[in-house]
Amino acid sequence: MNRTLRAVLALLTSVAALLGLTTAFAGAAGAAHPSAGQATRYTMTAFTNSSESNMYVYDSPDATGFTLRKGPAYTPPSGLIRDPSIFKHTDGFYYLTYTTNWTGNTIGFARSTDRLNWSFLYNYTIPVTGLTRTWAPEWFIDTDGSVNIIVSLTSASTATHFTAYKITATNSALTTWSAPTQLSGIGPNYIDTFIVKVGSTYHAFTKNETTKYIEYATASSLTGPYTIRKTGNWAGFGDWVEGPALVPLDNGGWRIYYDGYSAGKYWYSDSYDNFATWSTPTEVPGLTGFIRHATVLKETVSGGVTLPTNTTRSLQSVNFPGRYAAVRSDSLGYIDPVTSSSTTAVKQSATFTVVPGLADANCYSFRDSSGRYLRHWDFRLRFDTNNGTTVFAKDATYCARPGTTSGSVRLESYNYPGRYIRHYNYELRVETYQATDTFRADSSFTAVSPWA
């Protein structure tokens, strides 16, 4: 774990304890990784730099490394499919809403059973007099079950003075809608408003079209009044950015994706403190520079990979099968060669007990023969004695994702989603996912019979 961030977290924990507050940051309440036999799936829908009339569908087990599932997956019968937003309805279907054109007063709808094959439903005319542009519709499902769309509207002669409106489905088939209601406090000249609800508070992330920054607002009602809380480069996202979209992570954090359209980049960043601060923005591996204005749907599905717990195993490198994760006398982790003729000490150094994760029992921790745990420190893997702190538990917890070969796993850091255990120059580190075959192989291990 980064030393500066560790110090900040320790200070926040101490302050919270003094004030009698919970030390669990607001995020996905009660968040935990799915149990055995289940997995998290993040589905991304996006249009691309190369086509604003075709939608591509990707998915990911970790919200970081996305795989193309179909592209193009949907082309409307006419017009565009900019800003496609996806959700899964109670009827079991997936639904899209999207921007149909640069000008006009309609948004589009499509439906799918499998996220990959879509059928056009209809274009809906927003009943606001004089509309010239109807952009960036985003689904918002409230805690009362109501299905809403937040859409940016303007009656100006140019693409300016947008304001955010809400429409609500008035039937379960999503074919009739309430009259539009303006979101008080957001506008004028705000676009791409994306809302999430945590507890009783609505949190809005919206682009200020004047300054080109993503701003942050809160309200106690979906329609407001919203109070703008953060402006300028408050989160380090930079300017000339748009299209914010948020999803909860399994470890309780929130991830925001956004479009750095001026620089031709696509970014994500994470927050664990009620949206107050955000991690350094990272380009979405393999997709940055190609996708535009995506949304991401999180689901729990069957499948996933597991490791046997409370058993001893050795972790064999997939691309260096003669080497195994091991601890040396300096307490640091490596992949070392082990053979049947190796000494007992060498075999013991490459043998660990796999136990339920210290921070999440649906993930994993690894204990050596002396009782120390595999944890990261400044992103280097080492073995340390458990000091009983929350920070240590998170540092020593890793969540299993599918590896590159049958039966192999990749081990994602619990408190740094998107970072994986991988070997580099035979040293074990936790490094940010890279969309390369080399990284995927370097970060894949097979749990095999123990050497000792």
Side-chain angles (χ1 to χ4, degrees):
M1 188 177 191
N2 178 274
R3 286 190 176 96
T4 301
L5 182 55
R6 185 187 305 280
V8 171
L9 288 174
L11 177 60
L12 289 172
T13 300
S14 299
V15 170
L18 288 171
L19 296 177
L21 301 173
T22 176
T23 57
F25 291 137
H33 287 74
S35 56
Q38 295 184 309
T40 298
R41 182 177 69 194
Y42 296 89
T43 298
M44 174 186 283
T45 56
F47 77 102
T48 71
N49 274 318
S50 59
S51 175
E52 56 190 14
S53 297
N54 295 303
M55 184 189 73
Y56 284 56
V57 176
Y58 305 83
D59 65 26
S60 169
D62 58 10
T64 304
F66 285 88
T67 300
L68 176 64
R69 294 307 178 194
K70 190 172 183 181
Y74 174 63
T75 302
S78 62
L80 310 179
I81 184 167
R82 292 177 64 91
D83 321 320
S85 179
I86 183 176
F87 95 108
K88 189 175 185 180
H89 196 20
T90 53
D91 62 7
F93 285 97
Y94 297 89
Y95 286 84
L96 285 177
T97 184
Y98 52 91
T99 301
T100 59
N101 249 311
W102 283 100
T103 59
N105 59 357
T106 65
I107 56 175
F109 289 88
R111 187 173 72 173
S112 172
T113 59
D114 61 3
R115 307 168 298 132
L116 307 182
N117 300 286
W118 294 86
S119 298
F120 172 74
L121 292 178
Y122 64 100
N123 286 340
Y124 176 71
T125 300
I126 302 290
V128 172
T129 301
L131 282 184
T132 57
R133 288 166 179 79
T134 308
W135 288 4
E138 298 284 2
W139 297 106
F140 174 75
I141 315 307
D142 210 337
T143 48
D144 63 2
S146 63
V147 177
N148 306 275
I149 292 173
I150 310 301
V151 60
S152 301
L153 307 178
T154 184
S155 298
S157 59
T158 58
T160 57
H161 304 297
F162 284 93
T163 53
Y165 281 75
K166 175 210 72 141
I167 59 173
T168 302
T170 56
N171 67 347
S172 60
L174 307 184
T175 55
T176 59
W177 298 87
S178 69
T181 302
Q182 186 173 344
L183 273 58
S184 173
I186 299 179
N189 219 27
Y190 282 79
I191 196 171
D192 296 351
T193 300
F194 193 98
I195 295 175
V196 297
K197 188 179 184 182
V198 179
S200 60
T201 301
Y202 295 85
H203 302 261
F205 295 78
T206 184
K207 178 195 176 187
N208 183 321
E209 275 282 52
T210 302
T211 66
K212 310 302 182 184
Y213 288 110
I214 292 172
E215 298 186 354
Y216 168 65
T218 61
S220 58
S221 167
L222 177 56
T223 54
Y226 283 85
T227 299
I228 301 291
R229 304 289 183 183
K230 301 288 185 178
T231 62
N233 195 27
W234 65 280
F237 301 153
D239 58 358
W240 294 89
V241 293
E242 63 186 14
L246 283 81
V247 289
L249 300 173
D250 284 337
N251 68 355
W254 284 90
R255 176 161 292 181
I256 188 171
Y257 302 88
Y258 60 94
D259 190 343
Y261 62 99
S262 179
K265 305 290 187 180
Y266 208 83
W267 303 91
Y268 73 85
S269 178
D270 298 341
S271 178
Y272 292 90
D273 55 3
N274 217 10
F275 308 125
T277 61
W278 293 82
S279 64
T280 301
T282 302
E283 291 182 58
V284 178
L287 299 183
T288 184
F290 181 67
I291 63 168
R292 297 289 313 280
H293 197 141
T295 57
V296 179
L297 170 69
K298 179 183 179 181
E299 298 178 90
T300 298
V301 297
S302 60
V305 293
T306 58
L307 294 173
T309 55
N310 301 311
T311 59
T312 55
R313 288 290 187 272
S314 293
L315 295 176
Q316 183 182 35
S317 168
V318 161
N319 55 348
F320 287 83
R323 290 179 176 265
Y324 298 78
V327 56
R328 294 184 187 173
S329 58
D330 59 4
S331 297
L332 297 178
Y334 300 83
I335 57 166
D336 282 343
V338 186
T339 67
S340 57
S341 60
S342 297
T343 66
T344 299
V346 168
K347 292 177 179 178
Q348 190 69 59
S349 72
T351 300
F352 312 106
T353 301
V354 183
V355 299
L358 298 180
D360 186 329
N362 293 322
C363 297
Y364 303 94
S365 293
F366 301 88
R367 191 174 63 222
D368 71 6
S369 59
S370 66
R372 300 176 302 173
Y373 286 87
L374 179 67
R375 59 90 60 94
H376 59 81
W377 179 273
D378 276 352
F379 306 127
R380 183 72 164 88
L381 270 293
R382 57 180 296 113
F383 284 83
D384 284 334
T385 301
N386 185 0
N387 61 17
T389 64
T390 299
V391 169
F392 184 96
K394 292 179 178 180
D395 283 357
T397 299
Y398 307 91
C399 302
R401 310 298 188 196
T404 57
T405 60
S406 177
S408 68
V409 298
R410 292 184 299 123
L411 295 165
E412 184 185 19
S413 168
Y414 175 82
N415 52 349
Y416 284 87
R419 284 185 175 265
Y420 283 83
I421 295 178
R422 63 89 58 101
H423 62 80
Y424 187 82
N425 286 341
Y426 304 130
E427 297 178 348
L428 290 177
R429 304 178 177 277
V430 287
E431 293 193 352
T432 302
Y433 175 86
Q434 301 165 28
T436 66
D437 290 341
T438 297
F439 182 92
R440 287 186 282 263
D442 284 354
S443 58
S444 294
F445 298 86
T446 304
V448 298
S449 298
W451 277 107

